[in-house]
Amino acid sequence: MAEVKRAAITAVGHYLPDNKLTNHDLEQMVDTNDEWIQTRTGIKERRILKDDDKATAFMGAEAAKEALDERGISADEIDVIICATVTPDYLFPATACLIQSKIGASNAYAFDLSAACSGFLFALSTGGNFIESGRAQKVLVIGADKMSSIVDYTDRSTCILFGDGAGAVLLEASEDGNGIVDYINRSEGDTGLALYQPAGGSLNPATEESVADRLHYAKQDGRTVFKKATVGMADVSAEIMKKNDLTADDISYLVPHQANLRIIDATANRMGLDSEKVMVNINKYGNTTAATIPLCLFDWKSKLEKGDNLILAAFGGGYTWGAIYLKWGM
């Protein structure tokens, strides 16, 4: 009897800008210091896209090209492109459509998905559904954000957290049991607006006042979001393990969203995982929002073996959170 068809990751690509913004650089910009930042977040430096003529679509396209090159296929074989981002080049057209043009994926249709730091997880589960249903054969899932475009570098509570980057994976059907086994996605409307961008949408369109009041930058009630994220990410990770009868010994790696090292540690502890089973690169890149999880997969891909059990977990604005259980397909 044939195995169930699953959506497996068959290639991974990434893009990181060359320019580094270190904690010592931030010491010259706002009232903060390296020890404080590292102790509370685990971040040492982050990458910043400085080019005025480049944004999220550029980074996403570069990551996608690398994934296609690794797989050895041309872009016109792609059926669907999903780009998770909260920093689109424009409100419309979709950043995914710009990426489609940049890579020459003439046969694909493309759309953006907005779920903040959970965006890549939501996009990956969505892409997986296209593969499992047979509606698509090859799906590019991209997480890309130019967070520096919405970060207020006079606000020490947020500017220390974020960086720019992109990651991309190719999904294809697998019949060897590898691929996405299960996922749990959750949302809870953040009516208190603990994490949001106040202006630029249809409720508060851009005005001279909104710009002067710095309302087009990301705002965060750090304590509220930290508490929600710590509980949400840990709970959903434990839940997907229980649902699939997995123990800590069964897990090869936790692939967590890189928002805060303390949140990552809390999730790993709840799962019963030792630190060597947890992917952490927040020290190098900061929080790249939708790009963190695929950037982890890229950094660790040489250590991964076919069939490895991975738990991907994230929490983000919305609120949105979730976990994916997948068997590595490369």
Side-chain angles (χ1 to χ4, degrees):
M1 186 171 141
E3 288 276 358
V4 65
K5 181 165 69 174
R6 286 179 175 153
I9 293 173
T10 57
V12 186
H14 86 307
Y15 178 82
L16 289 161
D18 292 330
N19 187 74
K20 294 178 182 179
L21 179 66
T22 68
N23 291 348
H24 296 296
D25 294 330
L26 286 168
E27 288 176 353
Q28 315 305 314
M29 298 162 63
V30 289
D31 182 15
T32 191
N33 63 74
D34 174 60
E35 183 188 10
W36 192 93
I37 296 171
Q38 286 203 52
T39 301
R40 284 160 179 77
T41 69
I43 302 169
K44 296 180 182 178
E45 61 187 35
R46 61 294 284 150
R47 303 295 184 93
I48 304 296
L49 184 62
K50 288 283 195 180
D51 311 56
D52 291 336
D53 62 338
K54 294 182 174 69
T56 300
F58 166 78
M59 295 191 294
E62 292 300 300
K65 288 176 194 172
E66 189 172 66
L68 292 172
D69 287 346
E70 180 179 69
R71 185 69 178 87
I73 63 172
S74 64
D76 58 15
E77 293 184 49
I78 300 301
D79 300 307
V80 184
I81 300 170
I82 309 172
C83 180
T85 186
V86 291
T87 54
D89 287 33
Y90 312 99
L91 283 176
F92 60 91
T95 299
C97 292
L98 302 179
I99 292 171
Q100 180 225 19
S101 178
K102 287 176 184 293
I103 68 175
S106 55
N107 296 312
Y109 72 93
F111 61 93
D112 288 356
L113 189 153
S114 178
C117 297
S118 306
F120 182 79
L121 273 194
F122 283 23
L124 190 65
S125 53
T126 301
N129 290 339
F130 280 111
I131 298 291
E132 289 177 19
S133 69
R135 297 285 183 181
Q137 306 304 310
K138 291 180 172 63
V139 178
L140 264 178
V141 179
I142 300 161
D145 272 299
K146 185 182 177 182
M147 291 303 294
S148 62
S149 67
I150 59 168
V151 166
D152 183 351
Y153 286 98
T154 68
D155 178 2
R156 68 176 182 174
S157 68
T158 56
C159 73
I160 64 172
L161 301 173
F162 296 103
D164 303 338
V169 300
L170 178 65
L171 288 178
E172 296 181 81
S174 157
E175 293 184 356
D176 60 6
N178 295 319
I180 297 172
V181 180
D182 196 11
Y183 65 85
I184 301 170
N185 291 332
R186 296 265 159 78
S187 297
E188 175 190 323
D190 178 17
T191 53
L193 300 177
L195 178 55
Y196 78 128
Q197 184 179 330
S202 59
L203 182 62
N204 295 308
T207 63
E208 287 185 25
E209 291 78 12
S210 71
V211 174
D213 292 339
R214 309 183 79 80
L215 298 181
H216 295 265
Y217 295 117
K219 309 287 185 186
Q220 175 173 267
D221 175 352
R223 286 184 180 176
T224 300
V225 174
F226 179 83
K227 288 176 184 175
K228 281 274 189 185
T230 303
V231 173
M233 227 168 95
D235 281 357
V236 78
S237 300
E239 182 182 351
I240 203 162
M241 286 176 68
K242 183 178 180 182
K243 187 180 172 189
N244 291 279
D245 297 319
L246 296 169
T247 68
D249 291 338
D250 299 319
I251 305 300
S252 302
Y253 285 100
L254 166 66
V255 192
H257 168 57
Q258 309 286 304
N260 184 297
L261 190 55
R262 290 185 291 171
I263 298 172
I264 294 170
D265 288 343
T267 302
N269 289 337
R270 180 72 185 278
M271 297 169 69
L273 295 180
D274 295 330
S275 59
E276 63 266 19
K277 284 189 169 187
V278 184
M279 296 187 188
V280 177
N281 59 17
I282 190 173
N283 55 310
K284 298 188 293 182
Y285 311 139
N287 181 354
T288 54
T289 305
T292 65
I293 287 175
L295 284 173
C296 280
L297 293 175
F298 182 86
D299 282 357
W300 265 262
K301 67 176 183 174
S302 63
K303 300 177 183 178
L304 295 174
E305 296 182 4
K306 201 165 190 175
D308 277 353
N309 288 320
L310 307 182
I311 301 292
L312 285 56
F315 187 98
Y319 297 108
T320 57
W321 68 101
I324 290 176
Y325 165 38
L326 67 80
K327 290 181 172 289
W328 189 243
M330 288 171 60

